[in-house]
């Protein structure tokens, strides 16, 4: 029962994550203004987070039962879907960041791009990038007993650094891409141009940056710890506890979107829990229209940007 406390903490964090991600999926289904390409990608990320949470739940339950130790081969067979989804989601997060680059820098060209054309391509690339290292690991898997079944320990040691390096590269790419977006956003805000895309970008900025930062911190720690600490038992235990940070990241999007003052997601979230009376007074109804709700007269007026 070495990881009993960790298991309880994980179950608590993951339960909150389930609520948040389910809320994002429901909001995307209910609200027409959330059925755009960018918001559909966010919804797909939430569904991937739910898959990841499911596997982390099973890991936490094994810790509670005291059966966390197993062979690497057995663990890998159980987690391979999780590991594919883990990297595939990072590719989609990078696609979200690149989408914001195009939307902010080239709004006319962006408006002419079809979601039906781009989403399948993004998903295909994400699947290939997610599956490639997992497929390569099949040829190097061994029967070493590991203290807990989680992705950092399930990967063969000789391939782990390559897999982790890929995650570090994707995380850095997301952060650098959003840095470029922020520079352009600052310029456009001064000129009062492309207001619609600026609002969407601001709403998503905190979630994608937080996602990349927490992922980057977690994988960097597990990447460099074995280089600094040569005791395998210590590094394996530390890698197991790093999953707390990853679990927080799986559920953080909802709370960051809810805390934003604009209504891109907040109104839908509050309506879903019966708090529509305290929802924001504005709601996007289309790509180019803002509906302003006037409480006193109960009527709506539309302002186009």
């Amino acid at each position: 029962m070495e990881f009993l406390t960790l298991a309880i903490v994980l179950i608590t964090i993951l339960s909150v994550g389930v609520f948040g991600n389910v809320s994002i999926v429901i909001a995307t289904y209910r609200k027409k203004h959330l059925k755009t390409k960018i918001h559909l990608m966010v919804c797909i990320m939430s569904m991937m987070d739910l898959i990841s949470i499911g596997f982390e739940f099973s890991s936490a339950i094994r810790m509670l039962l005291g059966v966390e130790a197993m062979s690497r081969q057995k663990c890998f067979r159980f987690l391979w879907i999780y590991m594919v989804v883990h990297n595939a989601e990072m590719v989609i997060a990078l696609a979200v960041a690149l989408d914001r680059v195009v939307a902010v820098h080239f709004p006319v060209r962006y408006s002419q791009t079809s979601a039906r054309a781009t989403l399948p391509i993004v998903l295909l690339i994400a699947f290939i990038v997610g599956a490639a290292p997992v497929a390569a690991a099949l040829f190097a898997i061994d029967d070493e007993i590991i203290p807990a079944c989680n992705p950092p320990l399930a990967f063969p040691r000789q391939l782990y650094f390559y897999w982790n390096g890929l995650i570090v590269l994707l995380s850095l790419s997301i952060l650098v891409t959003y840095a470029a977006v922020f520079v352009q956003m600052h310029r456009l805000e001064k000129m009062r141009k492309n207001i619609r895309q600026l609002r969407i970008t601001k709403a998503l900025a905190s979630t994608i940056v937080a996602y990349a930062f927490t992922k980057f911190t977690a994988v960097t720690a597990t990447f460099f710890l074995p280089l600094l600490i040569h005791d395998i038992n210590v590094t394996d235990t530390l890698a197991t506890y790093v999953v707390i940070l990853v679990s927080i990241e799986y559920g953080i999007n909802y709370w960051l979107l809810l805390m934003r003052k604009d209504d891109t997601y907040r109104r839908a979230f509050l309506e879903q829990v019966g708090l529509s009376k305290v929802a924001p007074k504005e709601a996007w109804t289309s790509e180019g229209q803002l509906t302003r709700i006037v409480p006193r007269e109960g009527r709506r007026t539309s302002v186009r940007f």
Side-chain angles (χ1 to χ4, degrees), residues 23 34 62 66 130 186 206 230 237 242 263 283:
S23 296
L34 295 180
R62 286 197 303 273
H186 181 69
S206 57
H230 300 291
T237 301
V242 166
D263 65 317

Side-chain angles (χ1 to χ4, degrees), residues 18-35 43 254 258 264-280:
V18 169
F19 170 78
N21 285 296
V22 169
S23 296
I24 292 175
V25 174
I26 293 174
T28 305
Y29 175 78
R30 290 179 58 243
K31 296 297 183 179
K32 184 177 180 180
H33 74 280
L34 295 180
K35 290 184 171 62
C43 180
Y254 170 83
L258 178 64
T264 308
Y265 281 93
R266 191 178 187 187
R267 184 176 186 83
F269 291 161
L270 292 175
E271 288 176 352
Q272 286 165 194
V273 293
L275 296 175
S276 56
K277 291 183 179 180
V278 298

Side-chain angles (χ1 to χ4, degrees), residues 56-113:
E56 290 295 350
F57 254 124
S58 66
S59 178
I61 291 173
R62 286 197 303 273
M63 291 179 188
L64 281 176
L65 298 176
V67 292
E68 60 271 14
M70 65 176 66
S71 70
R72 178 172 284 113
Q73 187 176 57
K74 181 179 179 181
C75 177
F76 188 88
R77 286 201 305 266
F78 180 72
L79 290 184
W80 72 270
I81 294 177
Y82 177 18
M83 291 187 285
V84 171
V85 169
H86 182 276
N87 277 16
E89 184 179 357
M90 294 209 67
V91 175
I92 295 175
L94 179 57
V96 171
L98 292 173
D99 179 274
R100 294 298 84 203
V101 170
V102 178
V104 172
H105 285 78
F106 312 104
V108 176
R109 184 178 299 180
Y110 180 82
S111 64
Q112 298 171 348
T113 305

Side-chain angles (χ1 to χ4, degrees), residues 168 171 175 210-223 242 245:
V168 171
S171 301
L175 295 173
Y211 170 85
F213 181 77
T214 52
K215 190 78 75 176
F216 175 75
T217 303
V219 299
T220 302
T222 55
F223 185 83
V242 166
L245 190 60

Side-chain angles (χ1 to χ4, degrees), residues 5 12 116 119 147 152 197 211 260 268 274 283 299 301:
T5 303
T12 303
R116 292 183 179 180
L119 273 178
Q197 294 302 334
Y211 170 85
R260 284 201 59 81
R299 57 187 174 85
T301 59

